[in-house]
PDB file of all heavy atoms in Angstrom:
ATOM      1  N   ALA T 369      26.319   5.027  12.743  1.00 55.00           N
ATOM      2  CA  ALA T 369      25.692   5.596  11.581  1.00 55.00           C
ATOM      3  C   ALA T 369      24.725   6.728  11.975  1.00 55.00           C
ATOM      4  O   ALA T 369      24.004   6.604  12.991  1.00 55.00           O
ATOM      5  CB  ALA T 369      24.885   4.527  10.791  1.00 55.00           C
ATOM      6  N   PRO T 370      24.725   7.841  11.338  1.00 56.00           N
ATOM      7  CA  PRO T 370      23.847   8.937  11.705  1.00 56.00           C
ATOM      8  C   PRO T 370      22.394   8.620  11.484  1.00 56.00           C
ATOM      9  O   PRO T 370      22.053   7.840  10.541  1.00 56.00           O
ATOM     10  CB  PRO T 370      24.266  10.082  10.742  1.00 56.00           C
ATOM     11  CG  PRO T 370      24.898   9.405   9.566  1.00 56.00           C
ATOM     12  CD  PRO T 370      25.504   8.145  10.093  1.00 56.00           C
ATOM     13  N   ILE T 371      21.583   9.086  12.315  1.00 54.00           N
ATOM     14  CA  ILE T 371      20.090   8.833  12.211  1.00 54.00           C
ATOM     15  C   ILE T 371      19.572   9.753  11.060  1.00 54.00           C
ATOM     16  O   ILE T 371      19.799  10.940  11.041  1.00 54.00           O
ATOM     17  CB  ILE T 371      19.362   9.227  13.498  1.00 54.00           C
ATOM     18  CG1 ILE T 371      19.839   8.298  14.669  1.00 54.00           C
ATOM     19  CG2 ILE T 371      17.861   9.125  13.323  1.00 54.00           C
ATOM     20  CD1 ILE T 371      19.313   8.675  15.974  1.00 54.00           C
ATOM     21  N   PRO T 372      18.929   9.132  10.071  1.00 56.00           N
ATOM     22  CA  PRO T 372      18.494   9.955   8.957  1.00 56.00           C
ATOM     23  C   PRO T 372      17.484  10.968   9.376  1.00 56.00           C
ATOM     24  O   PRO T 372      16.614  10.720  10.238  1.00 56.00           O
ATOM     25  CB  PRO T 372      17.907   8.931   7.946  1.00 56.00           C
ATOM     26  CG  PRO T 372      17.536   7.720   8.873  1.00 56.00           C
ATOM     27  CD  PRO T 372      18.572   7.701   9.921  1.00 56.00           C
ATOM     28  N   ALA T 373      17.541  12.108   8.726  1.00 57.00           N
ATOM     29  CA  ALA T 373      16.557  13.200   8.996  1.00 57.00           C
ATOM     30  C   ALA T 373      15.645  13.358   7.795  1.00 57.00           C
ATOM     31  O   ALA T 373      16.068  13.189   6.667  1.00 57.00           O
ATOM     32  CB  ALA T 373      17.273  14.525   9.229  1.00 57.00           C
ATOM     33  N   TYR T 374      14.329  13.547   8.033  1.00 62.00           N
ATOM     34  CA  TYR T 374      13.397  13.666   7.023  1.00 62.00           C
ATOM     35  C   TYR T 374      12.750  14.989   6.945  1.00 62.00           C
ATOM     36  O   TYR T 374      12.518  15.652   7.997  1.00 62.00           O
ATOM     37  CB  TYR T 374      12.266  12.634   7.186  1.00 62.00           C
ATOM     38  CG  TYR T 374      12.759  11.160   7.173  1.00 62.00           C
ATOM     39  CD1 TYR T 374      13.107  10.492   8.330  1.00 62.00           C
ATOM     40  CD2 TYR T 374      12.888  10.496   5.922  1.00 62.00           C
ATOM     41  CE1 TYR T 374      13.582   9.198   8.244  1.00 62.00           C
ATOM     42  CE2 TYR T 374      13.358   9.193   5.852  1.00 62.00           C
ATOM     43  CZ  TYR T 374      13.716   8.527   6.995  1.00 62.00           C
ATOM     44  OH  TYR T 374      14.189   7.246   6.972  1.00 62.00           O
ATOM     45  N   ALA T 375      12.427  15.473   5.814  1.00 71.00           N
ATOM     46  CA  ALA T 375      11.707  16.732   5.613  1.00 71.00           C
ATOM     47  C   ALA T 375      10.367  16.367   4.940  1.00 71.00           C
ATOM     48  O   ALA T 375      10.309  15.709   3.923  1.00 71.00           O
ATOM     49  CB  ALA T 375      12.434  17.704   4.703  1.00 71.00           C
ATOM     50  N   ALA T 376       9.219  16.708   5.637  1.00 84.00           N
ATOM     51  CA  ALA T 376       7.970  16.309   5.124  1.00 84.00           C
ATOM     52  C   ALA T 376       7.787  16.894   3.754  1.00 84.00           C
ATOM     53  O   ALA T 376       8.153  18.059   3.450  1.00 84.00           O
ATOM     54  CB  ALA T 376       6.903  16.812   6.029  1.00 84.00           C
ATOM     55  N   GLY T 377       7.113  16.160   2.845  1.00 90.00           N
ATOM     56  CA  GLY T 377       6.895  16.636   1.514  1.00 90.00           C
ATOM     57  C   GLY T 377       6.468  15.513   0.530  1.00 90.00           C
ATOM     58  O   GLY T 377       6.556  14.385   0.845  1.00 90.00           O
ATOM     59  N   TRP T 378       6.077  15.988  -0.649  1.00 92.00           N
ATOM     60  CA  TRP T 378       5.748  15.025  -1.705  1.00 92.00           C
ATOM     61  C   TRP T 378       6.940  14.307  -2.250  1.00 92.00           C
ATOM     62  O   TRP T 378       8.013  14.901  -2.285  1.00 92.00           O
ATOM     63  CB  TRP T 378       5.007  15.792  -2.822  1.00 92.00           C
ATOM     64  CG  TRP T 378       3.657  16.336  -2.417  1.00 92.00           C
ATOM     65  CD1 TRP T 378       3.389  17.646  -2.110  1.00 92.00           C
ATOM     66  CD2 TRP T 378       2.430  15.648  -2.312  1.00 92.00           C
ATOM     67  NE1 TRP T 378       2.058  17.815  -1.779  1.00 92.00           N
ATOM     68  CE2 TRP T 378       1.465  16.576  -1.837  1.00 92.00           C
ATOM     69  CE3 TRP T 378       2.076  14.299  -2.479  1.00 92.00           C
ATOM     70  CZ2 TRP T 378       0.136  16.162  -1.673  1.00 92.00           C
ATOM     71  CZ3 TRP T 378       0.746  13.927  -2.260  1.00 92.00           C
ATOM     72  CH2 TRP T 378      -0.183  14.873  -1.844  1.00 92.00           C
ATOM     73  N   MET T 379       6.707  13.129  -2.701  1.00 91.00           N
ATOM     74  CA  MET T 379       7.788  12.325  -3.284  1.00 91.00           C
ATOM     75  C   MET T 379       7.248  11.369  -4.378  1.00 91.00           C
ATOM     76  O   MET T 379       6.015  11.089  -4.418  1.00 91.00           O
ATOM     77  CB  MET T 379       8.483  11.459  -2.187  1.00 91.00           C
ATOM     78  CG  MET T 379       7.577  10.460  -1.526  1.00 91.00           C
ATOM     79  SD  MET T 379       8.438   9.443  -0.324  1.00 91.00           S
ATOM     80  CE  MET T 379       9.543   8.476  -1.427  1.00 91.00           C
ATOM     81  N   GLN T 380       8.092  10.988  -5.312  1.00 91.00           N
ATOM     82  CA  GLN T 380       7.748  10.051  -6.316  1.00 91.00           C
ATOM     83  C   GLN T 380       8.345   8.663  -6.052  1.00 91.00           C
ATOM     84  O   GLN T 380       9.533   8.600  -5.624  1.00 91.00           O
ATOM     85  CB  GLN T 380       8.215  10.497  -7.695  1.00 91.00           C
ATOM     86  CG  GLN T 380       7.526  11.762  -8.180  1.00 91.00           C
ATOM     87  CD  GLN T 380       6.087  11.482  -8.526  1.00 91.00           C
ATOM     88  OE1 GLN T 380       5.691  10.486  -9.199  1.00 91.00           O
ATOM     89  NE2 GLN T 380       5.227  12.367  -8.084  1.00 91.00           N
ATOM     90  N   ASP T 381       7.544   7.573  -6.202  1.00 90.00           N
ATOM     91  CA  ASP T 381       8.044   6.244  -5.940  1.00 90.00           C
ATOM     92  C   ASP T 381       7.492   5.320  -7.028  1.00 90.00           C
ATOM     93  O   ASP T 381       6.299   5.045  -7.050  1.00 90.00           O
ATOM     94  CB  ASP T 381       7.522   5.809  -4.544  1.00 90.00           C
ATOM     95  CG  ASP T 381       8.051   4.424  -4.167  1.00 90.00           C
ATOM     96  OD1 ASP T 381       8.694   3.770  -4.987  1.00 90.00           O
ATOM     97  OD2 ASP T 381       7.819   3.998  -3.027  1.00 90.00           O
ATOM     98  N   GLY T 382       8.360   4.935  -7.932  1.00 89.00           N
ATOM     99  CA  GLY T 382       7.989   4.079  -8.998  1.00 89.00           C
ATOM    100  C   GLY T 382       6.897   4.742  -9.924  1.00 89.00           C
ATOM    101  O   GLY T 382       6.016   3.990 -10.450  1.00 89.00           O
ATOM    102  N   GLY T 383       7.002   6.054 -10.074  1.00 88.00           N
ATOM    103  CA  GLY T 383       6.076   6.757 -10.990  1.00 88.00           C
ATOM    104  C   GLY T 383       4.747   7.087 -10.324  1.00 88.00           C
ATOM    105  O   GLY T 383       3.846   7.682 -10.894  1.00 88.00           O
ATOM    106  N   ARG T 384       4.642   6.812  -8.998  1.00 92.00           N
ATOM    107  CA  ARG T 384       3.412   7.178  -8.252  1.00 92.00           C
ATOM    108  C   ARG T 384       3.749   8.165  -7.165  1.00 92.00           C
ATOM    109  O   ARG T 384       4.908   8.278  -6.752  1.00 92.00           O
ATOM    110  CB  ARG T 384       2.738   5.914  -7.603  1.00 92.00           C
ATOM    111  CG  ARG T 384       2.406   4.900  -8.656  1.00 92.00           C
ATOM    112  CD  ARG T 384       1.734   3.671  -7.965  1.00 92.00           C
ATOM    113  NE  ARG T 384       0.418   4.048  -7.403  1.00 92.00           N
ATOM    114  CZ  ARG T 384      -0.341   3.207  -6.664  1.00 92.00           C
ATOM    115  NH1 ARG T 384       0.153   1.988  -6.397  1.00 92.00           N
ATOM    116  NH2 ARG T 384      -1.443   3.578  -6.201  1.00 92.00           N
ATOM    117  N   THR T 385       2.781   8.964  -6.726  1.00 93.00           N
ATOM    118  CA  THR T 385       2.972  10.021  -5.793  1.00 93.00           C
ATOM    119  C   THR T 385       2.624   9.690  -4.335  1.00 93.00           C
ATOM    120  O   THR T 385       1.522   9.024  -4.144  1.00 93.00           O
ATOM    121  CB  THR T 385       2.203  11.284  -6.222  1.00 93.00           C
ATOM    122  OG1 THR T 385       2.538  11.631  -7.562  1.00 93.00           O
ATOM    123  CG2 THR T 385       2.435  12.458  -5.305  1.00 93.00           C
ATOM    124  N   ALA T 386       3.484   9.941  -3.427  1.00 93.00           N
ATOM    125  CA  ALA T 386       3.225   9.727  -2.020  1.00 93.00           C
ATOM    126  C   ALA T 386       3.657  10.928  -1.204  1.00 93.00           C
ATOM    127  O   ALA T 386       4.220  11.889  -1.807  1.00 93.00           O
ATOM    128  CB  ALA T 386       4.041   8.521  -1.560  1.00 93.00           C
ATOM    129  N   TYR T 387       3.329  10.924   0.029  1.00 94.00           N
ATOM    130  CA  TYR T 387       3.665  12.080   0.932  1.00 94.00           C
ATOM    131  C   TYR T 387       4.421  11.509   2.098  1.00 94.00           C
ATOM    132  O   TYR T 387       3.925  10.558   2.836  1.00 94.00           O
ATOM    133  CB  TYR T 387       2.481  12.808   1.376  1.00 94.00           C
ATOM    134  CG  TYR T 387       2.768  14.143   2.128  1.00 94.00           C
ATOM    135  CD1 TYR T 387       2.974  15.352   1.391  1.00 94.00           C
ATOM    136  CD2 TYR T 387       2.940  14.140   3.447  1.00 94.00           C
ATOM    137  CE1 TYR T 387       3.291  16.451   2.041  1.00 94.00           C
ATOM    138  CE2 TYR T 387       3.320  15.380   4.094  1.00 94.00           C
ATOM    139  CZ  TYR T 387       3.458  16.538   3.392  1.00 94.00           C
ATOM    140  OH  TYR T 387       3.800  17.682   4.005  1.00 94.00           O
ATOM    141  N   GLU T 388       5.619  11.975   2.361  1.00 92.00           N
ATOM    142  CA  GLU T 388       6.459  11.556   3.431  1.00 92.00           C
ATOM    143  C   GLU T 388       6.315  12.517   4.639  1.00 92.00           C
ATOM    144  O   GLU T 388       6.502  13.716   4.427  1.00 92.00           O
ATOM    145  CB  GLU T 388       7.934  11.374   3.025  1.00 92.00           C
ATOM    146  CG  GLU T 388       8.760  10.620   4.065  1.00 92.00           C
ATOM    147  CD  GLU T 388      10.099  10.301   3.454  1.00 92.00           C
ATOM    148  OE1 GLU T 388      10.861  11.191   3.183  1.00 92.00           O
ATOM    149  OE2 GLU T 388      10.347   9.081   3.265  1.00 92.00           O
ATOM    150  N   LEU T 389       6.055  11.987   5.795  1.00 92.00           N
ATOM    151  CA  LEU T 389       5.913  12.771   7.073  1.00 92.00           C
ATOM    152  C   LEU T 389       7.316  13.016   7.655  1.00 92.00           C
ATOM    153  O   LEU T 389       8.309  12.482   7.196  1.00 92.00           O
ATOM    154  CB  LEU T 389       5.065  12.071   8.049  1.00 92.00           C
ATOM    155  CG  LEU T 389       3.617  11.777   7.542  1.00 92.00           C
ATOM    156  CD1 LEU T 389       2.849  10.948   8.527  1.00 92.00           C
ATOM    157  CD2 LEU T 389       2.874  13.110   7.266  1.00 92.00           C
ATOM    158  N   GLU T 390       7.368  13.866   8.688  1.00 89.00           N
ATOM    159  CA  GLU T 390       8.616  14.248   9.311  1.00 89.00           C
ATOM    160  C   GLU T 390       9.369  13.032   9.876  1.00 89.00           C
ATOM    161  O   GLU T 390      10.584  13.037   9.914  1.00 89.00           O
ATOM    162  CB  GLU T 390       8.465  15.242  10.360  1.00 89.00           C
ATOM    163  CG  GLU T 390       8.067  16.672   9.915  1.00 89.00           C
ATOM    164  CD  GLU T 390       6.582  16.785   9.797  1.00 89.00           C
ATOM    165  OE1 GLU T 390       5.806  15.775   9.798  1.00 89.00           O
ATOM    166  OE2 GLU T 390       6.101  17.952   9.694  1.00 89.00           O
ATOM    167  N   ASP T 391       8.647  11.987  10.312  1.00 90.00           N
ATOM    168  CA  ASP T 391       9.308  10.845  10.872  1.00 90.00           C
ATOM    169  C   ASP T 391       9.633   9.781   9.862  1.00 90.00           C
ATOM    170  O   ASP T 391      10.115   8.668  10.187  1.00 90.00           O
ATOM    171  CB  ASP T 391       8.416  10.178  11.940  1.00 90.00           C
ATOM    172  CG  ASP T 391       7.075   9.735  11.469  1.00 90.00           C
ATOM    173  OD1 ASP T 391       6.836   9.901  10.234  1.00 90.00           O
ATOM    174  OD2 ASP T 391       6.243   9.239  12.234  1.00 90.00           O
ATOM    175  N   GLY T 392       9.436  10.094   8.585  1.00 89.00           N
ATOM    176  CA  GLY T 392       9.822   9.146   7.533  1.00 89.00           C
ATOM    177  C   GLY T 392       8.737   8.202   7.097  1.00 89.00           C
ATOM    178  O   GLY T 392       8.812   7.434   6.138  1.00 89.00           O
ATOM    179  N   SER T 393       7.554   8.234   7.846  1.00 92.00           N
ATOM    180  CA  SER T 393       6.429   7.342   7.478  1.00 92.00           C
ATOM    181  C   SER T 393       5.575   8.026   6.473  1.00 92.00           C
ATOM    182  O   SER T 393       5.729   9.187   6.078  1.00 92.00           O
ATOM    183  CB  SER T 393       5.648   7.024   8.709  1.00 92.00           C
ATOM    184  OG  SER T 393       4.982   8.203   9.225  1.00 92.00           O
ATOM    185  N   ARG T 394       4.566   7.224   5.940  1.00 92.00           N
ATOM    186  CA  ARG T 394       3.704   7.740   4.963  1.00 92.00           C
ATOM    187  C   ARG T 394       2.210   7.538   5.510  1.00 92.00           C
ATOM    188  O   ARG T 394       1.958   6.579   6.118  1.00 92.00           O
ATOM    189  CB  ARG T 394       3.758   7.052   3.652  1.00 92.00           C
ATOM    190  CG  ARG T 394       5.104   7.133   2.975  1.00 92.00           C
ATOM    191  CD  ARG T 394       4.991   6.363   1.636  1.00 92.00           C
ATOM    192  NE  ARG T 394       6.366   6.262   0.990  1.00 92.00           N
ATOM    193  CZ  ARG T 394       6.514   5.578  -0.142  1.00 92.00           C
ATOM    194  NH1 ARG T 394       5.536   4.984  -0.717  1.00 92.00           N
ATOM    195  NH2 ARG T 394       7.781   5.517  -0.646  1.00 92.00           N
ATOM    196  N   PRO T 395       1.363   8.542   5.262  1.00 94.00           N
ATOM    197  CA  PRO T 395      -0.068   8.328   5.645  1.00 94.00           C
ATOM    198  C   PRO T 395      -0.636   7.213   4.679  1.00 94.00           C
ATOM    199  O   PRO T 395      -0.381   7.210   3.423  1.00 94.00           O
ATOM    200  CB  PRO T 395      -0.723   9.640   5.302  1.00 94.00           C
ATOM    201  CG  PRO T 395       0.182  10.342   4.312  1.00 94.00           C
ATOM    202  CD  PRO T 395       1.570   9.882   4.624  1.00 94.00           C
ATOM    203  N   LYS T 396      -1.384   6.184   5.282  1.00 94.00           N
ATOM    204  CA  LYS T 396      -1.895   5.140   4.499  1.00 94.00           C
ATOM    205  C   LYS T 396      -3.395   4.924   4.876  1.00 94.00           C
ATOM    206  O   LYS T 396      -3.817   5.069   6.050  1.00 94.00           O
ATOM    207  CB  LYS T 396      -1.143   3.819   4.787  1.00 94.00           C
ATOM    208  CG  LYS T 396       0.278   3.838   4.376  1.00 94.00           C
ATOM    209  CD  LYS T 396       0.984   2.544   4.686  1.00 94.00           C
ATOM    210  CE  LYS T 396       2.418   2.598   4.214  1.00 94.00           C
ATOM    211  NZ  LYS T 396       3.159   1.287   4.473  1.00 94.00           N
ATOM    212  N   ASP T 397      -4.203   4.622   3.826  1.00 93.00           N
ATOM    213  CA  ASP T 397      -5.637   4.340   4.044  1.00 93.00           C
ATOM    214  C   ASP T 397      -6.316   5.427   4.803  1.00 93.00           C
ATOM    215  O   ASP T 397      -7.028   5.238   5.764  1.00 93.00           O
ATOM    216  CB  ASP T 397      -5.810   2.991   4.722  1.00 93.00           C
ATOM    217  CG  ASP T 397      -7.247   2.453   4.593  1.00 93.00           C
ATOM    218  OD1 ASP T 397      -7.977   2.931   3.622  1.00 93.00           O
ATOM    219  OD2 ASP T 397      -7.639   1.666   5.370  1.00 93.00           O
ATOM    220  N   THR T 398      -6.050   6.715   4.384  1.00 94.00           N
ATOM    221  CA  THR T 398      -6.557   7.835   5.203  1.00 94.00           C
ATOM    222  C   THR T 398      -6.730   9.089   4.313  1.00 94.00           C
ATOM    223  O   THR T 398      -6.063   9.173   3.248  1.00 94.00           O
ATOM    224  CB  THR T 398      -5.612   8.119   6.397  1.00 94.00           C
ATOM    225  OG1 THR T 398      -6.152   9.148   7.234  1.00 94.00           O
ATOM    226  CG2 THR T 398      -4.269   8.557   5.867  1.00 94.00           C
ATOM    227  N   TRP T 399      -7.531  10.027   4.782  1.00 94.00           N
ATOM    228  CA  TRP T 399      -7.565  11.338   4.220  1.00 94.00           C
ATOM    229  C   TRP T 399      -6.555  12.224   4.897  1.00 94.00           C
ATOM    230  O   TRP T 399      -6.202  12.078   6.047  1.00 94.00           O
ATOM    231  CB  TRP T 399      -8.967  11.940   4.477  1.00 94.00           C
ATOM    232  CG  TRP T 399     -10.116  11.375   3.662  1.00 94.00           C
ATOM    233  CD1 TRP T 399     -10.920  10.384   4.099  1.00 94.00           C
ATOM    234  CD2 TRP T 399     -10.429  11.682   2.341  1.00 94.00           C
ATOM    235  NE1 TRP T 399     -11.798  10.109   3.079  1.00 94.00           N
ATOM    236  CE2 TRP T 399     -11.560  10.921   2.019  1.00 94.00           C
ATOM    237  CE3 TRP T 399      -9.937  12.602   1.400  1.00 94.00           C
ATOM    238  CZ2 TRP T 399     -12.188  10.951   0.709  1.00 94.00           C
ATOM    239  CZ3 TRP T 399     -10.567  12.682   0.173  1.00 94.00           C
ATOM    240  CH2 TRP T 399     -11.630  11.878  -0.158  1.00 94.00           C
ATOM    241  N   MET T 400      -6.055  13.197   4.089  1.00 93.00           N
ATOM    242  CA  MET T 400      -5.102  14.145   4.689  1.00 93.00           C
ATOM    243  C   MET T 400      -5.268  15.478   3.995  1.00 93.00           C
ATOM    244  O   MET T 400      -5.441  15.554   2.782  1.00 93.00           O
ATOM    245  CB  MET T 400      -3.685  13.624   4.427  1.00 93.00           C
ATOM    246  CG  MET T 400      -2.569  14.483   4.989  1.00 93.00           C
ATOM    247  SD  MET T 400      -0.954  13.745   4.840  1.00 93.00           S
ATOM    248  CE  MET T 400       0.074  14.987   5.668  1.00 93.00           C
ATOM    249  N   GLU T 401      -5.277  16.529   4.763  1.00 93.00           N
ATOM    250  CA  GLU T 401      -5.418  17.918   4.216  1.00 93.00           C
ATOM    251  C   GLU T 401      -4.066  18.583   4.163  1.00 93.00           C
ATOM    252  O   GLU T 401      -3.303  18.598   5.158  1.00 93.00           O
ATOM    253  CB  GLU T 401      -6.289  18.774   5.155  1.00 93.00           C
ATOM    254  CG  GLU T 401      -6.577  20.151   4.528  1.00 93.00           C
ATOM    255  CD  GLU T 401      -7.258  21.076   5.526  1.00 93.00           C
ATOM    256  OE1 GLU T 401      -7.128  20.843   6.782  1.00 93.00           O
ATOM    257  OE2 GLU T 401      -7.872  22.038   5.089  1.00 93.00           O
ATOM    258  N   LEU T 402      -3.725  19.013   2.986  1.00 92.00           N
ATOM    259  CA  LEU T 402      -2.440  19.682   2.779  1.00 92.00           C
ATOM    260  C   LEU T 402      -2.681  21.043   2.071  1.00 92.00           C
ATOM    261  O   LEU T 402      -3.209  21.101   0.993  1.00 92.00           O
ATOM    262  CB  LEU T 402      -1.511  18.834   1.888  1.00 92.00           C
ATOM    263  CG  LEU T 402      -1.049  17.502   2.550  1.00 92.00           C
ATOM    264  CD1 LEU T 402      -0.423  16.666   1.469  1.00 92.00           C
ATOM    265  CD2 LEU T 402      -0.046  17.765   3.669  1.00 92.00           C
ATOM    266  N   GLU T 403      -2.277  22.138   2.808  1.00 87.00           N
ATOM    267  CA  GLU T 403      -2.388  23.437   2.246  1.00 87.00           C
ATOM    268  C   GLU T 403      -3.808  23.763   1.746  1.00 87.00           C
ATOM    269  O   GLU T 403      -3.959  24.332   0.663  1.00 87.00           O
ATOM    270  CB  GLU T 403      -1.329  23.652   1.139  1.00 87.00           C
ATOM    271  CG  GLU T 403       0.100  23.586   1.690  1.00 87.00           C
ATOM    272  CD  GLU T 403       1.154  23.812   0.625  1.00 87.00           C
ATOM    273  OE1 GLU T 403       0.796  23.814  -0.590  1.00 87.00           O
ATOM    274  OE2 GLU T 403       2.311  23.920   0.984  1.00 87.00           O
ATOM    275  N   GLY T 404      -4.786  23.358   2.526  1.00 89.00           N
ATOM    276  CA  GLY T 404      -6.201  23.682   2.188  1.00 89.00           C
ATOM    277  C   GLY T 404      -6.893  22.757   1.225  1.00 89.00           C
ATOM    278  O   GLY T 404      -8.083  22.948   0.922  1.00 89.00           O
TER     279      GLY T 404
END
């Protein structure tokens, strides 16, 4: 099976907003700066 590739960016999950990193993980319990 091919290894899935991820593109970092915003995503919707159950009506809530998350941010997916390049490795497929999400930042949790943390601050993050995006585009200033």
